[in-house]
Amino acid sequence: MKSETIVSGARASGKLHIGNYLGALKQWLELQKKETTQCYFFIADLHGMTTSFNPKELSSNTLDVAATYLAAGIDPKKSIFFLQNHVLEHATLSWVFNCLTPLGELYRMTQFKDKAQSEDQANSGLLTYPILMAADILIYKATAVPVGDDQTQHIELARTVARKFNNRFGKIFPEPQTYMRKPLRIMSLTDPEKKMSKTGDEALLMDDEPKEIMRKLKKAVTATEGGKKSPGVENLFLLLEHFGTKEQTDYFRGQQKNDSLKFSELKEILARDIGNYFVEYREKKQELLGKKEYLAEVLADGANRAHKVAAQTLFEVKQKIGLL
Ligand code: TRP
C-alpha cells in the first residue's frame, strides 16, 4: 500500500530548457523512486488552452513534451503518466468546484492578474485555471504536490476547496501539501539578470546538440559591472555544479580567486559536460518520436489507470452532493 500520493502537471508550451530540467523534471524523477509513493504525472494540455494557442502547436508541443519526460526517465510502469484531457473526470470535478468557489477568490490570484494583462482578450479559462488545477490534484486525493514557487497560491486554493467541500458535504479529500522545490534560478545566458526562459540564444535546451550548446555558451554574457560579482559568471558556475564535477568547480573557482578565470576554457568544459549529460536522453527521445504508436499506447495506458481512480472519486463526490 502506498502511503503518499503525489500529483503534478506540466504545461507544454515548447521545448524544455535546462532550468526546467533542474527545477522540475529532475524532482519528478526523484519522487518516482520512492516505494511508498504513487505518482501521477500529466501534461496539462487543457491548461494550455487558457492563453492563445493554435491547434497544430498544441498537439505537437504535447507530443514533444510527453516524449521529453519519458526519454528523461519518467517510468510509465512506476508513475501514472498521461494527458490531462484524456481523463474526463478532471473537467467534471472542476465544474463542481467552480460552483463552490466565489469569484473573488479567483480574481485575486496573481498569475491571473499577470496573464490577463498580457493577453489580448483573456478567456474565462484563464480565470478558472486554478479550479481545474484543484480538480487535477484532488481527484487523486493527492497528499503532496510538487510545484515551483509561482504555483503555491494555486495549491493554497486547492486546499481551500478541499476544506470547503469536506465541511459542507462530508470528508472525501485530504488537504494536499505543497512540495516545494529548492529555489533554483538558472539565469538567461544573454541577460543574466533574468530567469532563463524558452526563447532564442538565452536558453540551453535539453534537446540541443553539443555544438549548439557550445555556440550558445560562447555568447553567454560574463561581463562584470562596477566590481560586483558578475551574475553571468555565477550562472556558469551554477551550471558547472550541476553538470560537472567538484574538481572542475574547485579548479575554476581557484582561477577566479587569482583573477585568472579563462572563460573560453570554462565554457568549453561546461559545453562538453552538458552535452554528455543529455546524450542518452536525446537518443531516447528521437527513438520515441519515431514510434508515435508506442507513445500513444503509453499515454492511453496511463489514462486508463488514472481514470479508474478518478472515476471512483467522482462517484463519491456525486453521491455527497446529490447528483444522480
Ligand atoms: N499550473 C501548473 C504550472 O504551470 C501546471 C499544473 C496543472 C499543475 N495542473 C496541475 C501542477 C496540478 C500541479 C498539479 O506549472
Side-chain angles (χ1 to χ4, degrees):
M1 185 59 192
K2 310 273 188 188
S3 57
E4 215 186 348
T5 303
I6 296 236
V7 173
S8 198
R11 262 175 308 175
S13 50
K15 304 252 182 215
L16 267 65
H17 58 68
I18 56 175
N20 301 135
Y21 173 77
L22 293 173
L25 210 170
K26 209 167 161 212
Q27 192 188 31
W28 285 17
L29 297 175
E30 278 155 23
L31 288 168
Q32 85 169 347
K33 283 194 213 142
K34 289 202 204 164
E35 289 299 327
T36 53
T37 300
Q38 177 62 60
C39 294
Y40 294 80
F41 295 131
F42 61 92
I43 314 288
D45 49 5
L46 296 173
H47 280 110
M49 301 168 58
T50 55
T51 46
S52 53
F53 69 97
N54 79 50
K56 266 208 190 102
E57 267 178 32
L58 187 63
S59 58
S60 68
N61 283 347
T62 301
L63 262 193
D64 194 89
V65 173
T68 298
Y69 278 82
L70 291 169
I74 293 296
D75 178 351
K77 288 196 195 75
K78 283 202 185 117
S79 298
I80 300 185
F81 182 67
F82 59 100
L83 305 186
Q84 182 186 32
N85 100 81
H86 284 179
V87 185
L88 305 180
E89 287 79 3
H90 290 221
T92 308
L93 185 60
S94 121
W95 182 259
V96 170
F97 290 164
N98 267 317
C99 298
L100 295 181
T101 307
L103 276 169
E105 286 184 27
L106 300 176
Y107 281 125
R108 58 185 181 74
M109 294 285 128
T110 50
Q111 184 177 297
F112 169 71
K113 287 193 259 185
D114 291 349
K115 290 202 173 174
Q117 254 183 6
S118 49
E119 282 292 296
D120 242 0
Q121 228 181 8
N123 65 41
S124 317
L126 192 61
L127 180 67
T128 55
Y129 179 119
I131 299 278
L132 176 58
M133 204 168 143
D136 296 337
I137 295 166
L138 297 177
I139 201 134
Y140 303 110
K141 302 185 181 178
T143 52
V145 186
V147 282
D149 54 3
D150 61 329
Q151 297 295 316
T152 46
Q153 204 184 18
H154 294 161
I155 310 295
E156 188 52 49
L157 183 83
R159 271 199 293 275
T160 306
V161 171
R163 203 175 313 129
K164 193 175 288 174
F165 186 99
N166 291 341
N167 287 339
R168 182 154 164 208
F169 303 107
K171 185 164 189 319
I172 294 188
F173 301 112
E175 286 180 35
Q177 294 306 305
T178 308
Y179 204 102
M180 271 286 272
R181 310 190 273 264
K182 272 187 247 119
L184 176 76
R185 286 175 70 82
I186 303 289
M187 309 309 273
S188 154
L189 297 178
T190 49
D191 180 3
E193 307 273 353
K194 266 186 11 200
K195 240 173 117 164
M196 186 177 279
S197 73
K198 301 190 187 202
T199 41
D201 284 349
E202 66 160 312
L204 296 173
L205 304 180
M206 289 171 71
D207 292 353
D208 282 344
E209 296 289 334
K211 254 204 199 142
E212 180 67 358
I213 296 176
M214 189 63 231
R215 188 187 68 77
K216 288 180 180 172
L217 276 179
K218 266 195 185 142
K219 298 212 292 193
V221 172
T222 50
T224 316
E225 260 179 56
K228 274 192 305 188
K229 262 196 176 172
S230 153
V233 175
E234 287 313 300
N235 198 36
L236 296 183
F237 271 108
L238 187 60
L239 293 175
L240 192 63
E241 271 160 35
H242 280 96
F243 295 106
T245 62
K246 181 161 183 322
E247 288 71 29
Q248 289 168 345
T249 302
D250 292 347
Y251 170 73
F252 286 109
R253 283 287 187 204
Q255 281 193 357
Q256 190 187 33
K257 260 202 196 119
N258 300 331
D259 265 339
S260 61
L261 186 54
K262 290 192 206 67
F263 291 116
S264 55
E265 192 185 345
L266 170 59
K267 287 176 172 181
E268 215 156 280
I269 290 202
L270 196 53
R272 200 186 58 205
D273 286 348
I274 297 177
N276 286 342
Y277 189 94
F278 290 113
V279 168
E280 239 178 274
Y281 155 79
R282 278 195 304 272
E283 285 171 8
K284 189 92 197 286
K285 180 166 172 186
Q286 282 319 311
E287 189 191 318
L288 283 171
L289 286 176
K291 294 195 297 191
K292 296 252 161 63
E293 266 170 38
Y294 168 77
L295 210 50
E297 254 169 51
V298 168
L299 293 171
D301 180 60
N304 250 327
R305 289 162 67 203
H307 163 76
K308 290 205 175 87
V309 178
Q312 173 60 31
T313 306
L314 190 61
F315 177 74
E316 291 168 32
V317 167
K318 286 168 68 163
Q319 278 197 320
K320 295 268 191 216
I321 55 183
L323 287 170
L324 295 178

